[in-house]
Each structure stands twice: as structure tokens, then as C-alpha cells.
Amino acid sequence: MANITASMVKELREMTGAGMMECKKALAEAEGEMEKAVDVLRTRGLAAVAKKAGRATNEGTVMAIVNDACTTGAVVELNCETDFVGMNEKFKAYAEKIAKAALAAKPADVDALKAAVIDGETVEEIVTDCIHVMGENTQLARVAVVDAQAVSAYIHGGGKIGVLVTFNVEGIDPASDAFQKCGRDIAMQVAALNPVSATREDVPADVAAHEMEIYKAQAAESGKPEAIQEKMATGRLEKFFKESTLTEQAFVKNPDQSVSEYTDEVAKNLGGTIGIVDFKRFVLGEEA
């Protein structure tokens, strides 16, 4: 039996555009002969993918889902060539199936997700099938999976933005309609206003320092005493935190209260506590 190396599999993938596992099987069947392996894939209809493999994939959909218990969430981005296919319900069904595979397998990255199995087939095989059915080059761009005491998801614009928000909760069922309405509201907030982080404590130190440098330079131009300049810069940084961190932002549905005030109100009504921990926000076509 021929020794099938990783470089051989890579070469066949580049030649045909077929999936890694399919290439490996074809090489084994062809006893390591590249041309025969191509014929094997052509016979199976998989080498047809090669014609589409070089096309740009700038469209597609983002899919975000949670499990029944609302304690695990997955968001994936599946890219294709045209908006027409990206908005197609069949294409979205492929994305949802892949998201379900991610939810179950909890992969660390895209490669791990491609190897995940759902309903007897790998995600890589699902992507290949999508290419054949939809007739466009399709690429799995990225994935994120989160675990928490509570998770909520939101998809904006039919798949243009996908959001997962994680929470710490006490005395509240994360799967209850009342909590999930709140969770969805927060996820919608993330989609709409794109906060820098969940809380001011989570703002990267270099980001806060950079903002402070700008505000100090602005204050210096005022010509006022240094003590006043410092207060001006600190005040502007405080404004930055209130506008850029999720918990401190004005709640879109009621700008008279902050997001944290809204979650506190919901928590009180439900007889428990709600704390926003983090979020994932995927925008279609955005660099990972």
C-alpha cells in the first residue's frame, strides 16, 4: 500500500478543490498515483469543485444559534460568491447545519470544525455538497463557540451580522422566554452599536491609553492650566467608556437607561441577577 503523505493530499486538494478527507481516500484508492486520484474524484463528481475554487467569496451568511438549555452558543460565517446565493434559504440551511455541528463539537478553529461530524458526514463534506448544489465556490470562514451560565443569539439583516452574548445568572432559567427576550435585546444592542468590550474593565489597556493620549493632546490645545487639562482629558475618557462599553451604553430601546440598568431591572422582575460577561460579533466579510 502506497504511503500517502500530507503534501500529496495538499497537492491533490489544490488541483481539484475537493475536501481533504476525499483527497486522502482517492489517493489511497489510486495507490498514490496523482492522475488516477484526480480521475477517482472526477468519477465521484468532486473534482468539479476545482473550477469554482479560485473564485472570490465575498458574500454569504453569518449564522448564530444556541442549544436548548441556552448555555452554549455557536456562530459561523459561511462565504459564497454572490448575495443572491448568500440570501438563499438552502444556503442558509447549510450554514445552520454547520453551526449545529459546531455547537456539538465545540471546535477550537475552522479546521477542527471541518473535521466535525453531524448526521454521518463531516462539515467539510457538507461544504462540498453545498458547492455542488448551489453552484458557487463556498468557504467556511470562521467559527466561535461559547459556554456560559446563559447565552443569547441574534442575527441581523438576514445573516449580515451574527451576535452571541454570554451572561452570568443566578435564580433565573436561561432558557425562559423572559430571560431570552432580555438576552436578545442585548445581542441586538451589540449588533447595532458595536461596543469595544462588555465592560470598561475589559477595554484593552492599549486602547484606553491611546484614547487618553488623544484627549490630553486635545486638552493641551485649549491653553488652560494643566490641572484643568487633566480633568478635561479624564472627562472625555469617561465619555468614551460610556459610549463604547456595552454595559454603560444607553440602551437602544430606552436611551434613558443604560444597558446594565436595563438588565438589573429585568433581573429584579425575574427574582434573580443578570451580569453581562462577554460577546462575539461576526460581520459578514469582515476580517477575522
Side-chain angles (χ1 to χ4, degrees):
M1 186 175 175
N3 181 31
I4 310 302
T5 66
S7 62
M8 289 166 68
V9 174
K10 183 173 182 286
E11 183 181 346
L12 185 58
R13 279 191 80 176
E14 289 170 354
M15 287 172 67
T16 65
M20 183 176 67
M21 294 307 295
E22 292 299 333
C23 288
K24 193 171 182 180
K25 289 175 190 173
L27 281 164
E29 193 171 323
E31 297 183 340
E33 292 188 35
M34 197 63 63
E35 288 184 10
K36 282 188 179 179
V38 171
D39 287 342
V40 168
L41 291 171
R42 287 187 64 191
T43 301
R44 292 175 183 164
L46 295 173
V49 173
K51 295 177 182 177
K52 305 177 180 77
R55 296 182 193 167
T57 52
N58 301 319
E59 298 294 341
T61 193
V62 176
M63 184 64 63
I65 62 172
V66 298
N67 65 349
D68 291 341
C70 299
T71 54
T72 302
V75 56
V76 300
E77 180 179 353
L78 188 65
N79 293 149
C80 59
E81 297 172 47
T82 65
D83 184 57
F84 178 76
V85 166
M87 297 299 286
N88 183 284
E89 289 307 314
K90 279 187 181 178
F91 185 81
K92 289 181 184 294
Y94 279 108
E96 185 173 6
K97 190 171 185 179
I98 291 167
K100 286 179 179 176
L103 205 59
K106 300 182 182 179
D109 53 30
V110 168
D111 286 338
L113 177 54
K114 286 179 179 177
V117 176
I118 182 170
D119 296 336
E121 58 183 341
T122 65
V123 166
E124 189 159 36
E125 288 168 341
I126 293 168
V127 172
T128 298
D129 187 58
C130 180
I131 293 171
H132 290 305
V133 171
M134 304 309 301
E136 288 194 0
N137 186 16
T138 301
Q139 301 290 333
L140 185 55
R142 51 184 168 153
V143 59
V145 181
V146 298
D147 283 311
Q149 291 178 1
V151 184
S152 292
Y154 172 68
I155 302 168
H156 178 74
K160 299 300 184 187
I161 302 174
V163 174
L164 295 174
V165 183
T166 55
F167 303 85
N168 281 336
V169 295
E170 285 186 20
I172 295 171
D173 177 7
S176 67
D177 290 343
F179 174 78
Q180 281 301 317
K181 180 187 177 299
C182 169
R184 180 180 166 81
D185 282 342
I186 304 306
M188 286 174 67
Q189 176 96 12
V190 173
L193 295 187
N194 190 21
V196 170
S197 62
T199 68
R200 69 168 63 194
E201 289 76 23
D202 296 325
V203 174
D206 59 334
V207 172
H210 178 67
E211 291 297 320
M212 191 60 171
E213 280 179 25
I214 292 171
Y215 302 145
K216 282 182 176 179
Q218 289 173 345
E221 290 181 1
S222 70
K224 293 181 178 178
E226 283 190 15
I228 301 296
Q229 289 180 30
E230 186 70 26
K231 285 183 179 179
M232 288 170 65
T234 301
R236 285 171 182 167
L237 185 64
E238 185 69 18
K239 186 171 183 282
F240 165 78
F241 284 135
K242 288 187 179 298
E243 291 178 348
S244 304
T245 60
L246 178 58
T247 53
E248 297 185 41
Q249 283 179 337
F251 181 41
V252 168
K253 287 190 171 183
N254 179 12
D256 291 334
Q257 62 181 176
S258 67
V259 168
S260 62
E261 286 170 343
Y262 166 64
T263 53
D264 286 348
E265 181 183 291
V266 173
K268 186 177 179 181
N269 290 338
L270 296 179
T273 61
I274 300 171
I276 299 171
V277 177
D278 200 3
F279 60 83
K280 299 288 182 185
R281 183 179 187 269
F282 280 15
V283 177
L284 182 64
E286 183 182 67
E287 290 296 321

